[in-house]
Structures are given as C-alpha cells and as structure tokens.
C-alpha cells in the first residue's frame, strides 16, 4: 500500500505464531514477507523458514537468522525497478525518498547476511520484476557477495532442499526432472550470460532452441 511504513510489523506475535505453528503442524514451510527489522526478528524467533526481502535487517536479526539458519530471499533487483515503477505511477517525493533509503540499506544488509553465512534463496518480486526477466537477480546476488556458483545454487539446489524436493529437482542427476538451460558463455565467468538463455528443456522436452546459421 502506498504511503505505508516498511518498518512497521503488521501481524501481532500471536497472529504470526498461529500461522507458523499451524503450517508446521501440516508439514508446510512458512515464508514471511518482512522489510522491517522488528518483523524479521519476530519471524525468526517464532520459527519462520524464510524471510522475503529482509531489507532493514539489524544486528540482532542477523544473529537470529544465522543461529536458526533461516533462509533469506533478497529480491535485490526490485530496488531499482520499484523506483522506476513509482516514478511512472507518479509517486510523491516522500515515497521516492523512502524507496531510495530502503534500497541503500537493503544492499548493505544483504551483503552482511551473505558474509555471515545466512543461507540464500533466489527469488524476485513479480510483477515488479516481470516474469521472464528473473535472471537479472543473479548479478545483484554476486555484487552482494555470493560467488557465481553460489548464486546459481541459490536458484537450483538450495531451494530444492528448502522445499524438500531435492530428490527430483535442483540438480542434474538420474531420476530427476530433465529441466535444463544452456547459455552461450560460462556463467561462472560471466553471470550475466544467464540473462540470455539460448536453449530450454523442461521435463525432457525442448521448448526453446536458438540456432545460429
């Protein structure tokens, strides 16, 4: 909602505890949308499985995320894109200032989390980051401190394990889904090559094939 303060926690401790405990009782994971430090700390203390954004993470929150190995989904690409959308929509100066301040802190805090060893999941914030452009997140994760290989794993093996589905997705192994992409360069040398996918196989069927004559 326009004009809201991202630092304010919207759910009470009792509400969040009810959601997390009920989900876990049914064997489900809980991903908590949290920009503010209070919400991050509360979610980590109550057993959330991941934090989406974690923009305004503070020292105590960082300690809790590391202690409980709560995953974070940084969605760093949204910072520049959100401002573009806000300008297009005619947002006022106060809203633009809030976005700029949050973006700066977001980058710093995710870098601190990565350095501290907090596990990272790859994700974007659609529709701010439109479907089909998701790969732009890779370069922001690398800029924040992940190696190219770690960034790729954050989009493949790590979320597969987080979902409890590593026996069928997340890696190229016999018995797994044949979900494969190909690019023109080595992404370990140039992570941005993942933004230009040349070939796509899904479930063993080729859906995209770029040919050079």
């Amino acid at each position: 909602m326009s004009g809201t303060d991202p630092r304010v926690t919207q759910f009470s401790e009792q509400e969040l505890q009810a959601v997390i405990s009920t989900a876990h009782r049914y064997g489900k994971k809980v991903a908590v949308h949290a920009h503010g430090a209070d919400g991050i700390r509360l979610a980590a203390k109550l057993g959330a499985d991941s934090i989406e954004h974690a923009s305004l993470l503070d020292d105590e929150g960082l300690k809790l995320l590391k202690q409980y190995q709560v995953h974070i989904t940084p969605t760093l690409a949204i910072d520049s894109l959100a401002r573009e959308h806000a300008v297009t929509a005619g947002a006022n100066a106060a809203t633009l200032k809030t976005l700029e301040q949050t973006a700066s802190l977001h980058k710093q805090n995710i870098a601190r989390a990565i350095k501290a060893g907090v596990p990272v999941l790859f994700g974007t914030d659609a529709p701010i980051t439109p479907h089909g452009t998701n790969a732009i997140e890779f370069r922001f994760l690398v800029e924040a401190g992940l190696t190219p290989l770690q960034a790729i794993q954050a989009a493949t093996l790590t979320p597969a394990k987080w979902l409890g589905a590593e026996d069928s997705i997340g890696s190229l192994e016999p018995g797994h889904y044949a979900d494969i992409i190909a690019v023109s360069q080595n992404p370990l040398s140039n992570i941005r090559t993942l933004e230009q996918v040349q070939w796509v196989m899904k479930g063993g069927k080729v859906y995209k094939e770029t040919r050079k004559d």
Side-chain angles (χ1 to χ4, degrees):
M1 178 184 291
S2 176
T4 57
D5 189 339
R7 296 168 297 181
V8 176
T9 303
Q10 294 174 304
F11 287 94
S12 69
E13 180 173 346
Q14 292 75 19
E15 289 173 322
L16 190 55
Q17 181 66 80
V19 170
I20 293 174
S21 61
T22 300
H24 286 173
R25 188 164 64 249
Y26 283 92
K28 305 298 183 182
K29 295 287 183 69
V30 177
V32 174
H33 178 280
H35 286 287
D38 288 346
I40 295 168
R41 292 195 302 268
L42 182 61
K45 287 178 182 177
L46 296 179
D49 299 289
S50 75
I51 305 293
E52 315 309 295
H53 306 310
S55 307
L56 305 178
L57 176 68
D58 64 7
D59 290 341
E60 183 183 349
L62 178 57
K63 182 179 178 181
L64 289 167
L65 294 179
K66 185 176 181 180
Q67 178 182 348
Y68 296 116
Q69 285 293 283
V70 180
H71 290 60
I72 57 171
T73 309
T75 65
L76 290 166
I78 66 170
D79 292 326
S80 59
L81 295 171
R83 192 183 191 287
E84 291 176 12
H85 283 285
V87 170
T88 301
N92 59 39
T95 297
L96 294 177
K97 183 178 180 180
T98 297
L99 285 172
E100 290 170 0
Q101 291 174 338
T102 301
S104 178
L105 288 171
H106 192 188
K107 293 174 183 177
Q108 296 174 39
N109 291 331
I110 296 304
R112 290 196 305 131
I114 288 173
K115 186 175 182 180
V118 174
V120 174
L121 297 168
F122 183 100
T124 59
D125 198 12
I128 295 177
T129 305
H131 291 297
T133 65
N134 316 60
I136 64 174
E137 181 73 11
F138 282 111
R139 67 182 173 97
F140 291 106
L141 291 177
V142 170
E143 289 172 3
L146 289 184
T147 66
L149 178 58
Q150 288 171 333
I152 292 169
Q153 289 174 331
T156 52
L157 186 59
T158 303
K161 290 180 177 178
W162 189 90
L163 291 166
E166 67 270 27
D167 60 341
S168 59
I169 61 173
S171 58
L172 299 178
E173 300 181 56
H176 285 48
Y177 286 108
D179 297 342
I180 309 168
I181 66 168
V183 290
S184 61
Q185 299 178 47
N186 181 355
L188 300 185
S189 301
N190 177 17
I191 195 66
R192 296 201 66 175
T193 194
L194 293 173
E195 297 174 29
Q196 301 294 328
V197 175
Q198 306 294 311
W199 185 87
V200 177
M201 173 181 281
K202 171 65 177 174
K205 180 180 177 180
V206 175
Y207 283 86
K208 176 180 179 179
E209 187 171 9
T210 302
R211 296 180 181 275
K212 292 185 177 181
D213 296 329

